[in-house]
Amino acid sequence: MSALRIGILGASRIAEQALVEPARILGHRLVACAARDRTRAESFAEKHGVERVLDSYQDVLDDPEVDVVYNPLANAMHAPWNLASIRAGKPVLTEKPSASTASEADRVRRAASRAGVPVMEGFHYLFHPVTERLQQLASDGTLGDLLRIETITHMPAPAEDDHRWHPELAGGALMDLGCYGLHAQRLFGSMAGGQPSVTAARLTPHPSGVDTGFDVDLSFPGGVTGRVTGSMTAPEYDFRIKITGTRGEALAHNFIKPNEDDRVTTIVNGDRRTENLGRRSSYTYQLEAFADHILHGASIPLDADDAVRNMAMIDRVVQVASRTDITRTR
C-alpha cells in the first residue's frame, strides 16, 4: 500500500484545509464520509471528491476499504469516536483537543495501547519548519540561556451557532486555542529544565458557560517563566510564539498558520534577522508524517501519551483558575 484510504467523520469546515487539500497534494484517497445530516455529507463529498457517502459514522469505521479515520467532530465527540475507531482497528488522526478531560484522554490511551492502534492528535504546527527552527534556536545557544516563553493565540469570534460556544460540546477558548499555546510551552520543556507548572490562571467567562479568553502563567524547573494568552473574541488573528534568552529573542509571527506567514525573526546582540521557512501548509507536513507512520512505521512526536499530558495541563489551568472564582463548565 502506497497511499492511505481515509474515512472522514462529519463534514466540518476544518476538514478542507486540514485533510482534503493535503490528501490531494500527497496522493491519498478520501474513500468515505458520513455526517449527521446526509445532505451535508453529500455536498461535502461532491465538493471535495470523496468517493462515497455512508449513513453513519459507524459505517465509516466498519468500511473495509477505510484504512484510517480522520475525526474533526466537535470537541466532546473526539474521545468517544476515537475509542470507536480503536475498537474498529482503525488508526485515527484526531483534531485537537483529543478529549474533553485528561481522564477521558487516558481511556483513549489505554484502549489504543491494548489494541495496538495509533492515535495522533492534530497539533499540525509541530511539523512545520517554523517550529523546527524555533526549537533549534532555543537549544543551540543562539539565544543564550532561556528566560521566558510566550505564546499568543487570538482570533475573532466564531459564528453564534458555532460549537465553540457550547459547554456541552467542550467549547471555549481554552479548549480551542489554549491547547495550542500550552502544547507549545510543553514542547520547549526539554530546553527549559523540564515540563512547566501552572502558577496562575484566569479565564474570562461568557454567558453561555464557556470561556472567551484566558491568561496562564507558567514556571519551568530551570527557572524559565512562561505565559499563555488567548481570546476568541479578538479583533483579528494573532498566533505568535516569542522566546527570550540572555543573548536575544526569537519570534514566530504565525506558528499556527505558517502558510500565511512563515517568518521567524531573531534579534541577537542587537542584530536583527528574518528568515522565511516556507509556505507549505503545516497540515500537509502533518498528514505526511501520519502516513509515513502508518505505511512505513516511522516515528511520530505525537501519540496518545502526549494527548493525556496536554489534557492534564488544560485540566490544571481550569483548577487553578477556579480559585479566582472565574470558573468554566466542563
Side-chain angles (χ1 to χ4, degrees), residues 2 18 27 58 67 83 88 90 123 157 171 178 202 214 244 302 310 329:
S2 60
Q58 190 61 50
D67 301 316
L83 286 167
K90 305 292 173 72
F123 283 113
R202 180 176 292 270
F214 52 87
T244 303
L302 297 170
N310 213 57
T329 302

Side-chain angles (χ1 to χ4, degrees), residues 1 50 69 76 84 140 180 216 257 277:
M1 183 170 57
V50 182
V69 173
D140 68 4
Y180 276 117
V216 182
K257 296 183 177 181
L277 280 301

Side-chain angles (χ1 to χ4, degrees), residues 72-273:
L73 300 172
N75 293 342
M77 300 173 71
H78 286 168
W81 285 102
N82 291 342
L83 286 167
S85 296
I86 293 167
R87 288 194 295 269
K90 305 292 173 72
V92 58
L93 172 60
T94 178
E95 278 302 329
K96 53 75 200 164
S98 68
S100 298
T101 63
S103 61
E104 197 175 56
D106 186 54
R107 287 197 294 273
V108 174
R109 171 176 62 179
R110 287 185 280 111
S113 178
R114 288 193 300 268
V117 174
V119 176
M120 188 171 107
E121 188 172 19
F123 283 113
H124 53 97
Y125 83 96
L126 184 63
F127 299 93
H128 199 276
V130 162
T131 301
E132 292 176 354
R133 180 60 173 147
L134 279 184
Q135 290 178 277
Q136 181 183 27
L137 291 166
S139 62
D140 68 4
T142 298
L143 304 178
D145 295 330
L146 296 189
L147 299 173
R148 188 164 178 80
I149 302 167
E150 299 171 76
T151 51
I152 298 168
T153 53
H154 291 173
M155 64 173 282
E160 291 183 6
D161 63 349
D162 193 280
H163 66 86
R164 284 168 285 192
W165 293 116
H166 295 274
E168 71 276 10
L169 295 178
L174 181 64
M175 289 288 279
D176 190 57
L177 299 170
C179 64
Y180 276 117
L182 292 168
H183 194 274
Q185 294 278 338
R186 291 179 48 245
L187 178 65
F188 292 99
S190 62
M191 306 153 205
Q195 290 298 296
S197 300
V198 178
T199 56
R202 180 176 292 270
L203 303 177
T204 304
H206 185 268
S208 67
V210 303
D211 61 286
T212 63
F214 52 87
D215 298 282
V216 182
D217 292 316
L218 304 165
S219 64
F220 293 81
V224 177
T225 62
R227 185 163 177 81
V228 183
T229 64
S231 170
M232 64 178 194
T233 57
E236 59 187 10
Y237 290 98
D238 184 6
F239 298 136
R240 288 176 286 153
I241 297 178
K242 181 181 178 181
I243 303 173
T244 303
T246 53
R247 297 185 63 228
E249 63 185 44
L251 173 69
H253 293 256
N254 193 337
F255 78 102
I256 293 180
K257 296 183 177 181
N259 57 301
E260 296 180 4
D261 189 343
D262 63 340
R263 291 175 296 161
V264 171
T265 297
T266 54
I267 303 175
V268 176
N269 295 330
D271 182 27
R272 182 185 184 94
R273 179 188 179 192

